[in-house]
Amino acid sequence: MELVGQMDVAVITKVYPSRSHSGAAQGGVAAALGNVDGDSVEAHIYDTVKGADYLGDQDAIEILCNDAPRTIYEMEHLGCPFSRTEDHKINQRAFGGHSFLRACFSADRTGHALLHTLVEQTYKQGGKLKVYSEWHMNRLIVEDGVCRGVVAMDIKTGRLEVFRAKAVLFASGGYGQAFKITSNAAANTGDGIVAAYRAGIPLQDMEFVQFHPTGLYQHGILLTEGARGEGGYLINADGDRFMSTYAPSKMELGPRDIVSRSEQTEINEGRGAGPNKEYVLLDLRHLGKEKIMERLPQVYNLAKDFIGVDCIEDPVPIQPTAHYSMGGIPADNDCQVYLDDKGQQVTGFFVAGECSCISVHGANRLGTNSLLEALVFGRRAGKKMLDVTPGLKLADVNEERELEAAKKEIATLYAGDGSEDLSVIREELKEIMTYKVGVYRCADDMLQARSEIKGLRERFAKVQVKDPGTNFNLNLIDALELSNMLEYSELIVSGGLAREESRGAHFRTDFPTRDDQNWMHHTMAFRTEDGGHELRYKPVTVTRFQPEERKY
């Protein structure tokens, strides 16, 4: 396949490319296009640094925001159907934490529009890009600091294969499935980050998990922040717009961490709505039917289809939902992965998107910066791979050994005595993470969570995969995914326990203030030989904006 010169390029994906979780992103993608009076790239950079609660690496944030306008125009020229203003410019709406209307959108299906535009471009290549759909990635092969490929399983047949490569890019998404209430797709079980971690690569800032303020009650399904960007209200059981108490200058358009905590406070203090006061309400009624159906048709359909609420007539029950993973695989500004906390890198291994931690989001991601990050740094990763791959050799791989290691892991799952139930352990993990490592945290809860997760890992050893088949063995896939979820959940808890401060999405009731003197650094979790982990730290990159009190 001659896609780029003599390069042989392939995509291995757990789902079909058009079903990637990026399609669930609704509200927009950020860029200072110069269409809004007063907005600038500089303002976008500042908003992102402040939104990240000063834990983001500012050199990376500058790249993100500077490259944003070019990225939007490139996607437009590739065919992305952005919504338009009356004078035919790309339309932009307000979003939480941004100082100006900066979110370029396609109704409330922006991620879907961007994703399908890019999928169409792969079809345009006429088969030069090979896509392996419905393959589960089991192992990353790294030896002597060199990435040599991956081991993956064809879900359709159960066949294991070694894919050798000069360079590998992980774009495997987040890890929100560890939580009971989550907007994440079922596939978001941290497969990529755990494969890297087990191959000897550290994971960075795992304690920072963002809760989105508007998850559909009990389901967690995302109702876009664009609903508030279009003027929606958040109200409690008394009909009060309670954000006036918590972020009076921004109201419903405060950053996600602040809005989620505000909602949870209203619920915790008895001002929630419903028979059990378990949720608050998203009120769109004043926007009118025409605007809702033009700008927020998916919000309307989701509320109607899943809980039977017509948002034109009634407010919608919502609650905070685990949404985005700020932590992940550490990498430089060209997406090449770090092997340690000293700057040593893995030859031929790259990451982009939510599985990466470059870190442009720090302790809290601003809405519409995630699609932007995936586009900007996915492109940078591709260009860097194009630059370096011709100089790399196809490293030797002991394929028999790698296949045996993958087979051994699977055989262990069949060898359990069956005294423990896979689905029970999964649900218990989700309960623990949601209620003890959630919007609010404290040492007592996290210590209990750590102990209970350790117990779940011991019980997991007794789980037995009972489906002996090879074709679409989802029982086996569920077990492999749960193994990953248990492993990275420990790191979330451990990082949260160690970080004795509140910053961004990590809020501790026993340490309620930010501590810049002791905690202006990234957490690095390293796997130890006994299967445990060790935490180390590296400083945050600060260029222009010194930490200051974060008010909205």
Side-chain angles (χ1 to χ4, degrees), residues 92-355:
Q92 294 175 281
R93 59 164 55 119
F95 243 73
H98 291 277
S99 300
F100 299 91
L101 276 66
R102 193 179 285 143
C104 311
F105 62 93
S106 182
D108 60 352
R109 300 186 180 96
T110 311
H112 179 92
L114 291 167
L115 173 64
H116 280 255
T117 298
L118 292 172
V119 170
E120 289 164 4
Q121 292 301 311
T122 67
Y123 292 152
K124 187 178 178 181
Q125 297 295 326
K128 293 178 181 179
L129 178 67
K130 176 66 174 175
V131 179
Y132 294 87
S133 295
E134 296 190 321
W135 284 70
H136 178 87
M137 196 274 297
N138 297 62
R139 291 172 58 81
L140 174 68
I141 305 170
V142 175
E143 283 186 59
D144 303 321
V146 177
C147 181
R148 299 162 187 254
V150 300
V151 179
M153 179 175 67
D154 184 349
I155 297 173
K156 180 179 180 181
T157 66
R159 186 179 83 254
L160 287 164
E161 294 282 0
V162 172
F163 290 80
R164 296 173 63 197
K166 292 181 179 180
V168 171
L169 168 67
F170 273 13
S172 54
Y175 45 87
Q177 272 295 314
F179 295 83
K180 181 178 181 179
I181 304 298
T182 180
S183 66
N184 280 208
N188 287 13
T189 52
D191 305 345
I193 63 167
V194 174
Y197 180 63
R198 290 173 178 168
I201 293 162
L203 298 181
Q204 181 171 308
D205 290 342
M206 290 293 290
E207 64 265 37
F208 293 104
V209 178
Q210 180 177 84
F211 284 77
H212 195 288
T214 51
L216 201 60
Y217 174 58
Q218 291 188 324
H219 295 275
I221 297 168
L222 179 66
L223 298 184
T224 175
E225 192 168 311
R228 287 171 285 136
E230 295 293 347
Y233 299 155
L234 295 176
I235 59 176
N236 59 22
D238 299 323
D240 296 331
R241 288 180 67 188
F242 55 83
M243 286 308 301
S244 61
T245 302
Y246 305 98
S249 69
K250 290 287 188 181
M251 294 293 287
E252 286 85 2
L253 293 175
R256 288 176 177 173
D257 59 326
I258 292 175
V259 180
S260 291
R261 285 195 296 274
S262 303
E263 291 180 354
Q264 196 63 50
T265 299
E266 292 293 302
I267 294 167
N268 291 350
E269 295 183 357
R271 293 184 292 277
N276 299 315
K277 301 184 181 297
E278 292 179 328
Y279 55 81
V280 293
L281 297 162
L282 173 65
D283 191 355
L284 306 175
R285 293 173 294 180
H286 56 286
L287 300 182
K289 180 178 180 179
E290 183 178 352
K291 187 170 187 178
I292 289 172
M293 299 311 293
E294 177 192 350
R295 299 287 184 88
L296 304 167
Q298 190 169 200
V299 168
Y300 176 85
N301 290 329
L302 289 171
K304 186 79 169 175
D305 293 345
F306 283 90
I307 59 174
V309 173
D310 183 337
C311 67
I312 296 170
E313 303 292 337
D314 297 295
V316 183
I318 56 166
Q319 66 186 128
T321 182
H323 178 62
Y324 191 85
S325 314
M326 272 76 74
I329 302 168
D332 69 10
N333 293 340
D334 287 318
C335 307
Q336 187 162 350
V337 172
Y338 287 118
L339 186 59
D340 58 26
D341 53 333
K342 307 297 183 185
Q344 183 180 350
Q345 293 181 310
V346 184
T347 301
F349 187 33
F350 299 81
V351 289
E354 195 172 351
C355 72

Side-chain angles (χ1 to χ4, degrees), residues 13-83:
T13 172
K14 193 174 179 178
V15 296
Y16 282 90
S18 59
R19 300 294 293 170
S20 163
H21 192 52
S22 295
Q26 299 170 359
V29 52
L33 299 182
N35 298 335
V36 179
D37 288 344
D39 196 13
S40 65
V41 169
E42 185 78 6
H44 189 186
I45 293 169
Y46 175 72
D47 286 346
T48 301
V49 171
K50 181 181 178 182
D53 218 347
Y54 297 91
L55 196 76
D57 288 325
Q58 294 181 26
D59 55 342
I61 291 171
E62 290 175 19
I63 291 170
L64 177 80
C65 300
N66 275 300
D67 204 29
R70 182 209 58 77
T71 299
I72 297 303
Y73 294 136
E74 181 176 36
M75 291 305 302
E76 180 192 30
H77 295 163
L78 289 175
C80 183
F82 288 110
S83 295

